[in-house]
């Protein structure tokens, strides 16, 4: 299956989301490539115990895993590949 959403995802990650960060006032917790600790825990099928427990897993998450989360959680759910290409 062609991943027509890939250029969009690359632009979102590289232009708007960037790398690791955690503003403790942000309810999303540790975030990397725009993927929160909650998204990563869900993707890995693991229980979310505390945000601080997910600092290292989020920080060390490879870009390929973030792209997979975007593909499965967002692009597939929205039927992105079914949208017309412009």
């Amino acid at each position: 299956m062609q991943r027509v959403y890939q250029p969009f995802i690359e632009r979102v990650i590289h232009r708007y989301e960037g790398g690791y960060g955690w503003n403790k006032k942000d309810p999303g917790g540790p975030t990397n490539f725009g993927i929160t600790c909650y998204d990563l825990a869900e993707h890995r099928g693991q229980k979310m115990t505390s945000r601080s427990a997910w600092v290292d897993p989020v920080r060390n998450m490879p870009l390929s895993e973030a792209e997979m989360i975007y593909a499965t959680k967002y692009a597939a759910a929205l039927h992105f590949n079914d949208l017309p290409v412009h």
Side-chain angles (χ1 to χ4, degrees):
M1 175 192 305
Q2 182 184 8
R3 297 180 349 171
V4 297
Y5 65 88
Q6 192 65 34
F8 170 76
I9 295 302
E10 289 172 1
R11 185 175 69 208
V12 166
I13 291 174
H14 297 296
R15 188 171 188 182
Y16 299 106
E17 294 298 347
Y20 175 80
W22 184 16
N23 177 341
K24 299 213 178 182
K25 293 180 181 179
D26 182 345
T31 303
N32 197 2
F33 308 120
I35 302 299
T36 68
C37 57
Y38 298 97
D39 294 327
L40 184 58
E42 177 183 32
H43 173 74
R44 292 183 177 179
Q46 297 178 0
K47 186 176 182 179
M48 183 65 194
T49 53
S50 73
R51 294 184 300 176
S52 60
W54 282 86
V55 168
D56 287 338
V58 170
R59 182 182 288 134
N60 297 319
M61 173 182 51
L63 177 59
S64 60
E65 188 170 17
E67 290 175 343
M68 184 178 296
I69 293 169
Y70 277 106
T72 57
K73 184 169 183 169
Y74 302 105
L78 298 173
H79 303 282
F80 201 102
N81 282 336
D82 296 335
L83 298 174
V85 179
H86 294 281

